[in-house]
Amino acid sequence: MTRRGITVLGATGSVGVNTLDVLGRHTDKYRVVALTANRDHERLLAQCLEHRPDFAVLVDKGAAEKFAAAQQETNLETRLLSGVDALAEVACLPQAESVMAAIVGAAGLVPTLSAVRAGKRVLLANKESMVVAGRLFTAAMEQSGAEIIPIDSEHNAIFQCLPDNADTPLAGVRKILLTASGGPFLHTPRDRLSDVTPEAACAHPNWVMGRKISVDSATMMNKGLEIIEASWLFGLTEDRIEVVVHPQSVIHSLVDFVDGSVLAQLGNPDMRTPIAHALAWPQRFESGVDPLDLIASGRLEFLQPDEERFPCLRIAREAARAGGTAPAVLNAVNEVAVDAFLGGKLRFTAIPEVIEAVLDQADIADHYDLESVIEADRIARLMADAVVDNHLARTA
Ligand code: NAD
Ligand code: MG
């Protein structure tokens, strides 16, 4: 049997590491073609020594020099590329039929979209790229015949629950329900939220993830981004996408049908399940995840999300309804605000304030192409920087 080639964008991150763990269990089926990272040259080299890809990419030139020096001491034949353009280059290599898109943030947009335009099977973890430019992804899929299999656990769950009929996947669907753990501050009173630390925000109760998505989970912007992601992936407007807080993270999401049936996907909270599902689809193979023990799971709870304490959910829905470049602006400002919070420059509760302030001022265009959406992202970041500085000046 010939092995399927795969490129992993963002190999050194949380999703990237989990992907390589699953791939390591199926070396008879998959061959790693390229691995990329921003600047973690040590981890990337260790991954290359284990998985022997044809190409490695480090965006950061200094990190690439260190990688190259260390590579000399090994027998590794991997070709090293550096710079941001190399990401899109390895996303389109003919020897890789599949691309795992696991870069964090809008930085993943160009390489992920390039993979879709090149007709790859794209395993999509990088939700921000879909939020920023969903319309371009939909158009590119139609043109190239690319498939997108969602990796985000909620979207992967919905993908598994939707009818297996490519022509009418939404037949009989009333709505979809995205579950949310509620994050580390689910029960934190409103007046204590302004003092929470980055460490507390990143200590997610059920999942171990990168810092950016951990903060997004704590503000619930993650669920807001996921509403927009789901609307593009499944072709539903935001009013047919509900959010249910489910603190145990055992049910990963549900589909509600017109006849009263509700289908859900369950499992232990471990990203290797959606990753293995997408890698093996339409078959199944082992992921290394323990079987779900329903008795040990005990009670499963479901709660209404609290938009008073977590306004990001409402703000994201408004951006979804506004459409055009509004989700791109939302995402860009969120990235800046989360970064400022992680750097100790912004209070947790100021994150939604900064996002709303910029969305109120920004010019939202109804239509966009790749160039104009990148420009909208750039301007939104400049505006966000100014609002953060203003906050700093007021609180100093
Ligand atoms: P992470 O921070 O752990 O890893 C990010 C990866 O992207 C790293 O390999 C890093 O080198 C690379 N990267 C960062 N900035 C880059 C840049 N400017 N250019 C090129 N590469 C860059 O993030 P993560 O938690 O693995 O999340 C990755 C994506 O998957 C995010 O979009 C996140 O929302 C999504 N996701 C993650 C999880 C999870 O469990 N971690 C679950 C669902 C969805
Ligand atoms: Mg998710």
PDB file of all heavy atoms in Angstrom, residues 238-273:
ATOM      1  N   GLU A 238     -25.850  32.077  11.982  1.00  0.00           N
ATOM      2  CA  GLU A 238     -25.527  31.973  13.416  1.00  0.00           C
ATOM      3  C   GLU A 238     -26.743  31.709  14.293  1.00  0.00           C
ATOM      4  O   GLU A 238     -26.611  31.122  15.365  1.00  0.00           O
ATOM      5  CB  GLU A 238     -24.708  33.169  13.908  1.00  0.00           C
ATOM      6  CG  GLU A 238     -25.325  34.550  13.877  1.00  0.00           C
ATOM      7  CD  GLU A 238     -26.372  34.844  14.937  1.00  0.00           C
ATOM      8  OE1 GLU A 238     -26.239  34.399  16.083  1.00  0.00           O
ATOM      9  OE2 GLU A 238     -27.342  35.538  14.575  1.00  0.00           O
ATOM     10  N   ASP A 239     -27.949  32.095  13.831  1.00  0.00           N
ATOM     11  CA  ASP A 239     -29.139  31.856  14.662  1.00  0.00           C
ATOM     12  C   ASP A 239     -29.502  30.369  14.732  1.00  0.00           C
ATOM     13  O   ASP A 239     -30.337  29.975  15.558  1.00  0.00           O
ATOM     14  CB  ASP A 239     -30.328  32.692  14.158  1.00  0.00           C
ATOM     15  CG  ASP A 239     -30.619  32.440  12.684  1.00  0.00           C
ATOM     16  OD1 ASP A 239     -29.649  32.303  11.911  1.00  0.00           O
ATOM     17  OD2 ASP A 239     -31.796  32.355  12.303  1.00  0.00           O
ATOM     18  N   ARG A 240     -28.897  29.540  13.888  1.00  0.00           N
ATOM     19  CA  ARG A 240     -29.136  28.093  13.979  1.00  0.00           C
ATOM     20  C   ARG A 240     -27.972  27.372  14.680  1.00  0.00           C
ATOM     21  O   ARG A 240     -27.849  26.157  14.610  1.00  0.00           O
ATOM     22  CB  ARG A 240     -29.382  27.495  12.588  1.00  0.00           C
ATOM     23  CG  ARG A 240     -30.750  27.932  12.017  1.00  0.00           C
ATOM     24  CD  ARG A 240     -30.896  27.494  10.585  1.00  0.00           C
ATOM     25  NE  ARG A 240     -31.094  26.050  10.459  1.00  0.00           N
ATOM     26  CZ  ARG A 240     -30.944  25.397   9.295  1.00  0.00           C
ATOM     27  NH1 ARG A 240     -30.581  26.055   8.193  1.00  0.00           N
ATOM     28  NH2 ARG A 240     -31.160  24.097   9.231  1.00  0.00           N
ATOM     29  N   ILE A 241     -27.131  28.169  15.350  1.00  0.00           N
ATOM     30  CA  ILE A 241     -25.994  27.579  16.077  1.00  0.00           C
ATOM     31  C   ILE A 241     -26.101  28.012  17.537  1.00  0.00           C
ATOM     32  O   ILE A 241     -25.938  29.185  17.866  1.00  0.00           O
ATOM     33  CB  ILE A 241     -24.646  28.043  15.472  1.00  0.00           C
ATOM     34  CG1 ILE A 241     -24.612  27.723  13.968  1.00  0.00           C
ATOM     35  CG2 ILE A 241     -23.486  27.383  16.207  1.00  0.00           C
ATOM     36  CD1 ILE A 241     -23.458  28.358  13.219  1.00  0.00           C
ATOM     37  N   GLU A 242     -26.412  27.069  18.405  1.00  0.00           N
ATOM     38  CA  GLU A 242     -26.612  27.368  19.822  1.00  0.00           C
ATOM     39  C   GLU A 242     -25.381  26.955  20.625  1.00  0.00           C
ATOM     40  O   GLU A 242     -24.648  26.066  20.209  1.00  0.00           O
ATOM     41  CB  GLU A 242     -27.823  26.556  20.295  1.00  0.00           C
ATOM     42  CG  GLU A 242     -28.732  27.288  21.252  1.00  0.00           C
ATOM     43  CD  GLU A 242     -30.017  26.499  21.457  1.00  0.00           C
ATOM     44  OE1 GLU A 242     -30.966  26.680  20.662  1.00  0.00           O
ATOM     45  OE2 GLU A 242     -30.046  25.701  22.400  1.00  0.00           O
ATOM     46  N   VAL A 243     -25.183  27.617  21.747  1.00  0.00           N
ATOM     47  CA  VAL A 243     -24.069  27.240  22.628  1.00  0.00           C
ATOM     48  C   VAL A 243     -24.638  26.726  23.950  1.00  0.00           C
ATOM     49  O   VAL A 243     -25.522  27.352  24.540  1.00  0.00           O
ATOM     50  CB  VAL A 243     -23.139  28.455  22.879  1.00  0.00           C
ATOM     51  CG1 VAL A 243     -22.091  28.118  23.938  1.00  0.00           C
ATOM     52  CG2 VAL A 243     -22.455  28.891  21.587  1.00  0.00           C
ATOM     53  N   VAL A 244     -24.150  25.576  24.383  1.00  0.00           N
ATOM     54  CA  VAL A 244     -24.557  24.995  25.657  1.00  0.00           C
ATOM     55  C   VAL A 244     -23.305  24.779  26.497  1.00  0.00           C
ATOM     56  O   VAL A 244     -22.351  24.154  26.027  1.00  0.00           O
ATOM     57  CB  VAL A 244     -25.228  23.608  25.450  1.00  0.00           C
ATOM     58  CG1 VAL A 244     -25.692  23.032  26.785  1.00  0.00           C
ATOM     59  CG2 VAL A 244     -26.380  23.710  24.483  1.00  0.00           C
ATOM     60  N   VAL A 245     -23.296  25.287  27.710  1.00  0.00           N
ATOM     61  CA  VAL A 245     -22.150  25.037  28.587  1.00  0.00           C
ATOM     62  C   VAL A 245     -22.301  23.632  29.181  1.00  0.00           C
ATOM     63  O   VAL A 245     -23.359  23.266  29.689  1.00  0.00           O
ATOM     64  CB  VAL A 245     -22.059  26.105  29.702  1.00  0.00           C
ATOM     65  CG1 VAL A 245     -20.930  25.766  30.676  1.00  0.00           C
ATOM     66  CG2 VAL A 245     -21.821  27.494  29.088  1.00  0.00           C
ATOM     67  N   HIS A 246     -21.213  22.879  29.030  1.00  0.00           N
ATOM     68  CA  HIS A 246     -21.208  21.473  29.488  1.00  0.00           C
ATOM     69  C   HIS A 246     -19.829  21.248  30.122  1.00  0.00           C
ATOM     70  O   HIS A 246     -18.865  20.937  29.442  1.00  0.00           O
ATOM     71  CB  HIS A 246     -21.452  20.572  28.261  1.00  0.00           C
ATOM     72  CG  HIS A 246     -21.128  19.128  28.475  1.00  0.00           C
ATOM     73  ND1 HIS A 246     -21.525  18.432  29.597  1.00  0.00           N
ATOM     74  CD2 HIS A 246     -20.440  18.243  27.705  1.00  0.00           C
ATOM     75  CE1 HIS A 246     -21.080  17.191  29.502  1.00  0.00           C
ATOM     76  NE2 HIS A 246     -20.423  17.056  28.380  1.00  0.00           N
ATOM     77  N   PRO A 247     -19.746  21.487  31.445  1.00  0.00           N
ATOM     78  CA  PRO A 247     -18.434  21.566  32.101  1.00  0.00           C
ATOM     79  C   PRO A 247     -17.604  20.290  32.007  1.00  0.00           C
ATOM     80  O   PRO A 247     -16.382  20.357  32.109  1.00  0.00           O
ATOM     81  CB  PRO A 247     -18.788  21.856  33.571  1.00  0.00           C
ATOM     82  CG  PRO A 247     -20.173  22.413  33.548  1.00  0.00           C
ATOM     83  CD  PRO A 247     -20.860  21.781  32.375  1.00  0.00           C
ATOM     84  N   GLN A 248     -18.216  19.137  31.809  1.00  0.00           N
ATOM     85  CA  GLN A 248     -17.429  17.885  31.821  1.00  0.00           C
ATOM     86  C   GLN A 248     -16.719  17.613  30.494  1.00  0.00           C
ATOM     87  O   GLN A 248     -15.845  16.744  30.431  1.00  0.00           O
ATOM     88  CB  GLN A 248     -18.337  16.696  32.161  1.00  0.00           C
ATOM     89  CG  GLN A 248     -18.864  16.712  33.597  1.00  0.00           C
ATOM     90  CD  GLN A 248     -20.017  17.693  33.819  1.00  0.00           C
ATOM     91  OE1 GLN A 248     -20.681  18.104  32.862  1.00  0.00           O
ATOM     92  NE2 GLN A 248     -20.238  18.087  35.067  1.00  0.00           N
ATOM     93  N   SER A 249     -17.077  18.322  29.415  1.00  0.00           N
ATOM     94  CA  SER A 249     -16.439  18.109  28.103  1.00  0.00           C
ATOM     95  C   SER A 249     -16.428  16.641  27.681  1.00  0.00           C
ATOM     96  O   SER A 249     -15.423  16.140  27.176  1.00  0.00           O
ATOM     97  CB  SER A 249     -15.006  18.668  28.061  1.00  0.00           C
ATOM     98  OG  SER A 249     -14.995  20.048  28.303  1.00  0.00           O
ATOM     99  N   VAL A 250     -17.537  15.961  27.894  1.00  0.00           N
ATOM    100  CA  VAL A 250     -17.660  14.566  27.434  1.00  0.00           C
ATOM    101  C   VAL A 250     -18.430  14.529  26.114  1.00  0.00           C
ATOM    102  O   VAL A 250     -18.055  13.813  25.186  1.00  0.00           O
ATOM    103  CB  VAL A 250     -18.364  13.698  28.509  1.00  0.00           C
ATOM    104  CG1 VAL A 250     -18.765  12.342  27.943  1.00  0.00           C
ATOM    105  CG2 VAL A 250     -17.435  13.519  29.711  1.00  0.00           C
ATOM    106  N   ILE A 251     -19.496  15.353  26.039  1.00  0.00           N
ATOM    107  CA  ILE A 251     -20.221  15.507  24.771  1.00  0.00           C
ATOM    108  C   ILE A 251     -19.544  16.647  24.018  1.00  0.00           C
ATOM    109  O   ILE A 251     -19.452  17.765  24.524  1.00  0.00           O
ATOM    110  CB  ILE A 251     -21.701  15.854  25.025  1.00  0.00           C
ATOM    111  CG1 ILE A 251     -22.373  14.693  25.761  1.00  0.00           C
ATOM    112  CG2 ILE A 251     -22.417  16.165  23.711  1.00  0.00           C
ATOM    113  CD1 ILE A 251     -23.844  14.894  26.006  1.00  0.00           C
ATOM    114  N   HIS A 252     -19.068  16.368  22.816  1.00  0.00           N
ATOM    115  CA  HIS A 252     -18.264  17.379  22.123  1.00  0.00           C
ATOM    116  C   HIS A 252     -19.087  18.297  21.236  1.00  0.00           C
ATOM    117  O   HIS A 252     -18.573  19.341  20.831  1.00  0.00           O
ATOM    118  CB  HIS A 252     -17.122  16.711  21.369  1.00  0.00           C
ATOM    119  CG  HIS A 252     -16.221  15.983  22.306  1.00  0.00           C
ATOM    120  ND1 HIS A 252     -15.662  16.604  23.403  1.00  0.00           N
ATOM    121  CD2 HIS A 252     -15.844  14.690  22.382  1.00  0.00           C
ATOM    122  CE1 HIS A 252     -14.959  15.728  24.093  1.00  0.00           C
ATOM    123  NE2 HIS A 252     -15.065  14.547  23.494  1.00  0.00           N
ATOM    124  N   SER A 253     -20.305  17.935  20.917  1.00  0.00           N
ATOM    125  CA  SER A 253     -21.306  18.788  20.256  1.00  0.00           C
ATOM    126  C   SER A 253     -22.444  17.922  19.767  1.00  0.00           C
ATOM    127  O   SER A 253     -22.346  16.682  19.830  1.00  0.00           O
ATOM    128  CB  SER A 253     -20.744  19.635  19.108  1.00  0.00           C
ATOM    129  OG  SER A 253     -20.164  20.812  19.665  1.00  0.00           O
ATOM    130  N   LEU A 254     -23.535  18.578  19.306  1.00  0.00           N
ATOM    131  CA  LEU A 254     -24.756  17.831  18.965  1.00  0.00           C
ATOM    132  C   LEU A 254     -25.430  18.434  17.737  1.00  0.00           C
ATOM    133  O   LEU A 254     -25.277  19.630  17.455  1.00  0.00           O
ATOM    134  CB  LEU A 254     -25.765  17.866  20.118  1.00  0.00           C
ATOM    135  CG  LEU A 254     -25.238  17.609  21.547  1.00  0.00           C
ATOM    136  CD1 LEU A 254     -24.850  18.910  22.220  1.00  0.00           C
ATOM    137  CD2 LEU A 254     -26.266  16.877  22.380  1.00  0.00           C
ATOM    138  N   VAL A 255     -26.205  17.582  17.045  1.00  0.00           N
ATOM    139  CA  VAL A 255     -27.030  18.058  15.934  1.00  0.00           C
ATOM    140  C   VAL A 255     -28.481  17.744  16.270  1.00  0.00           C
ATOM    141  O   VAL A 255     -28.812  16.618  16.653  1.00  0.00           O
ATOM    142  CB  VAL A 255     -26.631  17.389  14.596  1.00  0.00           C
ATOM    143  CG1 VAL A 255     -27.534  17.875  13.469  1.00  0.00           C
ATOM    144  CG2 VAL A 255     -25.170  17.676  14.266  1.00  0.00           C
ATOM    145  N   ASP A 256     -29.345  18.766  16.134  1.00  0.00           N
ATOM    146  CA  ASP A 256     -30.761  18.672  16.483  1.00  0.00           C
ATOM    147  C   ASP A 256     -31.557  18.592  15.175  1.00  0.00           C
ATOM    148  O   ASP A 256     -31.463  19.499  14.342  1.00  0.00           O
ATOM    149  CB  ASP A 256     -31.101  19.934  17.291  1.00  0.00           C
ATOM    150  CG  ASP A 256     -32.542  19.975  17.747  1.00  0.00           C
ATOM    151  OD1 ASP A 256     -33.404  19.364  17.083  1.00  0.00           O
ATOM    152  OD2 ASP A 256     -32.807  20.641  18.757  1.00  0.00           O
ATOM    153  N   PHE A 257     -32.324  17.506  14.989  1.00  0.00           N
ATOM    154  CA  PHE A 257     -33.066  17.292  13.737  1.00  0.00           C
ATOM    155  C   PHE A 257     -34.554  17.622  13.904  1.00  0.00           C
ATOM    156  O   PHE A 257     -35.069  17.618  15.033  1.00  0.00           O
ATOM    157  CB  PHE A 257     -32.907  15.834  13.286  1.00  0.00           C
ATOM    158  CG  PHE A 257     -31.489  15.487  12.883  1.00  0.00           C
ATOM    159  CD1 PHE A 257     -30.580  15.029  13.828  1.00  0.00           C
ATOM    160  CD2 PHE A 257     -31.059  15.640  11.572  1.00  0.00           C
ATOM    161  CE1 PHE A 257     -29.270  14.713  13.470  1.00  0.00           C
ATOM    162  CE2 PHE A 257     -29.749  15.331  11.207  1.00  0.00           C
ATOM    163  CZ  PHE A 257     -28.856  14.867  12.164  1.00  0.00           C
ATOM    164  N   VAL A 258     -35.232  17.876  12.775  1.00  0.00           N
ATOM    165  CA  VAL A 258     -36.630  18.319  12.816  1.00  0.00           C
ATOM    166  C   VAL A 258     -37.591  17.282  13.415  1.00  0.00           C
ATOM    167  O   VAL A 258     -38.668  17.639  13.878  1.00  0.00           O
ATOM    168  CB  VAL A 258     -37.150  18.712  11.405  1.00  0.00           C
ATOM    169  CG1 VAL A 258     -36.516  20.013  10.941  1.00  0.00           C
ATOM    170  CG2 VAL A 258     -36.924  17.605  10.397  1.00  0.00           C
ATOM    171  N   ASP A 259     -37.181  16.010  13.414  1.00  0.00           N
ATOM    172  CA  ASP A 259     -38.090  14.993  13.959  1.00  0.00           C
ATOM    173  C   ASP A 259     -37.927  14.823  15.466  1.00  0.00           C
ATOM    174  O   ASP A 259     -38.547  13.946  16.064  1.00  0.00           O
ATOM    175  CB  ASP A 259     -37.888  13.650  13.231  1.00  0.00           C
ATOM    176  CG  ASP A 259     -36.479  13.101  13.389  1.00  0.00           C
ATOM    177  OD1 ASP A 259     -35.672  13.722  14.127  1.00  0.00           O
ATOM    178  OD2 ASP A 259     -36.173  12.057  12.785  1.00  0.00           O
ATOM    179  N   GLY A 260     -37.086  15.655  16.069  1.00  0.00           N
ATOM    180  CA  GLY A 260     -36.891  15.544  17.517  1.00  0.00           C
ATOM    181  C   GLY A 260     -35.666  14.732  17.908  1.00  0.00           C
ATOM    182  O   GLY A 260     -35.306  14.665  19.083  1.00  0.00           O
ATOM    183  N   SER A 261     -35.004  14.113  16.919  1.00  0.00           N
ATOM    184  CA  SER A 261     -33.780  13.367  17.229  1.00  0.00           C
ATOM    185  C   SER A 261     -32.632  14.341  17.475  1.00  0.00           C
ATOM    186  O   SER A 261     -32.523  15.350  16.805  1.00  0.00           O
ATOM    187  CB  SER A 261     -33.377  12.472  16.045  1.00  0.00           C
ATOM    188  OG  SER A 261     -34.384  11.549  15.753  1.00  0.00           O
ATOM    189  N   VAL A 262     -31.793  13.991  18.429  1.00  0.00           N
ATOM    190  CA  VAL A 262     -30.568  14.758  18.663  1.00  0.00           C
ATOM    191  C   VAL A 262     -29.411  13.770  18.662  1.00  0.00           C
ATOM    192  O   VAL A 262     -29.421  12.809  19.436  1.00  0.00           O
ATOM    193  CB  VAL A 262     -30.614  15.515  20.014  1.00  0.00           C
ATOM    194  CG1 VAL A 262     -29.314  16.268  20.244  1.00  0.00           C
ATOM    195  CG2 VAL A 262     -31.799  16.478  20.052  1.00  0.00           C
ATOM    196  N   LEU A 263     -28.430  13.992  17.775  1.00  0.00           N
ATOM    197  CA  LEU A 263     -27.255  13.119  17.740  1.00  0.00           C
ATOM    198  C   LEU A 263     -26.073  13.851  18.354  1.00  0.00           C
ATOM    199  O   LEU A 263     -25.879  15.042  18.098  1.00  0.00           O
ATOM    200  CB  LEU A 263     -26.907  12.707  16.307  1.00  0.00           C
ATOM    201  CG  LEU A 263     -27.923  11.857  15.542  1.00  0.00           C
ATOM    202  CD1 LEU A 263     -27.324  11.379  14.217  1.00  0.00           C
ATOM    203  CD2 LEU A 263     -28.380  10.644  16.351  1.00  0.00           C
ATOM    204  N   ALA A 264     -25.313  13.124  19.160  1.00  0.00           N
ATOM    205  CA  ALA A 264     -24.149  13.723  19.820  1.00  0.00           C
ATOM    206  C   ALA A 264     -22.937  12.838  19.591  1.00  0.00           C
ATOM    207  O   ALA A 264     -23.070  11.644  19.320  1.00  0.00           O
ATOM    208  CB  ALA A 264     -24.415  13.846  21.317  1.00  0.00           C
ATOM    209  N   GLN A 265     -21.763  13.419  19.699  1.00  0.00           N
ATOM    210  CA  GLN A 265     -20.526  12.628  19.691  1.00  0.00           C
ATOM    211  C   GLN A 265     -19.891  12.783  21.063  1.00  0.00           C
ATOM    212  O   GLN A 265     -19.770  13.899  21.575  1.00  0.00           O
ATOM    213  CB  GLN A 265     -19.589  13.102  18.567  1.00  0.00           C
ATOM    214  CG  GLN A 265     -18.335  12.248  18.406  1.00  0.00           C
ATOM    215  CD  GLN A 265     -17.098  12.875  19.040  1.00  0.00           C
ATOM    216  OE1 GLN A 265     -17.160  13.960  19.585  1.00  0.00           O
ATOM    217  NE2 GLN A 265     -15.983  12.181  18.957  1.00  0.00           N
ATOM    218  N   LEU A 266     -19.503  11.662  21.680  1.00  0.00           N
ATOM    219  CA  LEU A 266     -18.925  11.670  23.024  1.00  0.00           C
ATOM    220  C   LEU A 266     -17.520  11.091  22.993  1.00  0.00           C
ATOM    221  O   LEU A 266     -17.170  10.325  22.091  1.00  0.00           O
ATOM    222  CB  LEU A 266     -19.763  10.802  23.976  1.00  0.00           C
ATOM    223  CG  LEU A 266     -21.123  11.294  24.452  1.00  0.00           C
ATOM    224  CD1 LEU A 266     -22.157  11.243  23.342  1.00  0.00           C
ATOM    225  CD2 LEU A 266     -21.601  10.455  25.637  1.00  0.00           C
ATOM    226  N   GLY A 267     -16.742  11.416  23.996  1.00  0.00           N
ATOM    227  CA  GLY A 267     -15.419  10.828  24.120  1.00  0.00           C
ATOM    228  C   GLY A 267     -14.645  11.554  25.204  1.00  0.00           C
ATOM    229  O   GLY A 267     -15.069  12.618  25.673  1.00  0.00           O
ATOM    230  N   ASN A 268     -13.517  10.974  25.603  1.00  0.00           N
ATOM    231  CA  ASN A 268     -12.660  11.684  26.549  1.00  0.00           C
ATOM    232  C   ASN A 268     -12.145  12.952  25.888  1.00  0.00           C
ATOM    233  O   ASN A 268     -11.944  12.982  24.679  1.00  0.00           O
ATOM    234  CB  ASN A 268     -11.479  10.795  26.955  1.00  0.00           C
ATOM    235  CG  ASN A 268     -11.925   9.685  27.874  1.00  0.00           C
ATOM    236  OD1 ASN A 268     -12.733   9.906  28.774  1.00  0.00           O
ATOM    237  ND2 ASN A 268     -11.429   8.476  27.634  1.00  0.00           N
ATOM    238  N   PRO A 269     -11.942  14.031  26.669  1.00  0.00           N
ATOM    239  CA  PRO A 269     -11.412  15.251  26.074  1.00  0.00           C
ATOM    240  C   PRO A 269      -9.930  15.096  25.731  1.00  0.00           C
ATOM    241  O   PRO A 269      -9.063  15.355  26.552  1.00  0.00           O
ATOM    242  CB  PRO A 269     -11.649  16.325  27.145  1.00  0.00           C
ATOM    243  CG  PRO A 269     -11.831  15.591  28.420  1.00  0.00           C
ATOM    244  CD  PRO A 269     -12.263  14.189  28.090  1.00  0.00           C
ATOM    245  N   ASP A 270      -9.650  14.639  24.526  1.00  0.00           N
ATOM    246  CA  ASP A 270      -8.281  14.415  24.068  1.00  0.00           C
ATOM    247  C   ASP A 270      -8.289  14.677  22.558  1.00  0.00           C
ATOM    248  O   ASP A 270      -9.041  14.025  21.818  1.00  0.00           O
ATOM    249  CB  ASP A 270      -7.877  12.958  24.384  1.00  0.00           C
ATOM    250  CG  ASP A 270      -6.415  12.675  24.098  1.00  0.00           C
ATOM    251  OD1 ASP A 270      -5.896  13.179  23.076  1.00  0.00           O
ATOM    252  OD2 ASP A 270      -5.785  11.929  24.886  1.00  0.00           O
ATOM    253  N   MET A 271      -7.485  15.648  22.112  1.00  0.00           N
ATOM    254  CA  MET A 271      -7.521  16.053  20.705  1.00  0.00           C
ATOM    255  C   MET A 271      -7.121  14.943  19.748  1.00  0.00           C
ATOM    256  O   MET A 271      -7.365  15.028  18.543  1.00  0.00           O
ATOM    257  CB  MET A 271      -6.628  17.290  20.480  1.00  0.00           C
ATOM    258  CG  MET A 271      -7.199  18.584  21.024  1.00  0.00           C
ATOM    259  SD  MET A 271      -8.866  18.953  20.390  1.00  0.00           S
ATOM    260  CE  MET A 271      -8.526  19.302  18.675  1.00  0.00           C
ATOM    261  N   ARG A 272      -6.493  13.883  20.282  1.00  0.00           N
ATOM    262  CA  ARG A 272      -6.088  12.812  19.376  1.00  0.00           C
ATOM    263  C   ARG A 272      -7.300  12.094  18.770  1.00  0.00           C
ATOM    264  O   ARG A 272      -7.172  11.487  17.714  1.00  0.00           O
ATOM    265  CB  ARG A 272      -5.167  11.827  20.103  1.00  0.00           C
ATOM    266  CG  ARG A 272      -3.803  12.459  20.422  1.00  0.00           C
ATOM    267  CD  ARG A 272      -2.930  11.525  21.209  1.00  0.00           C
ATOM    268  NE  ARG A 272      -3.551  11.152  22.471  1.00  0.00           N
ATOM    269  CZ  ARG A 272      -3.076  10.237  23.308  1.00  0.00           C
ATOM    270  NH1 ARG A 272      -1.956   9.596  23.013  1.00  0.00           N
ATOM    271  NH2 ARG A 272      -3.695   9.970  24.439  1.00  0.00           N
ATOM    272  N   THR A 273      -8.483  12.203  19.416  1.00  0.00           N
ATOM    273  CA  THR A 273      -9.676  11.576  18.814  1.00  0.00           C
ATOM    274  C   THR A 273     -10.090  12.295  17.529  1.00  0.00           C
ATOM    275  O   THR A 273     -10.164  11.655  16.469  1.00  0.00           O
ATOM    276  CB  THR A 273     -10.830  11.487  19.838  1.00  0.00           C
ATOM    277  OG1 THR A 273     -10.447  10.570  20.859  1.00  0.00           O
ATOM    278  CG2 THR A 273     -12.119  10.996  19.184  1.00  0.00           C
TER     279      THR A 273
END
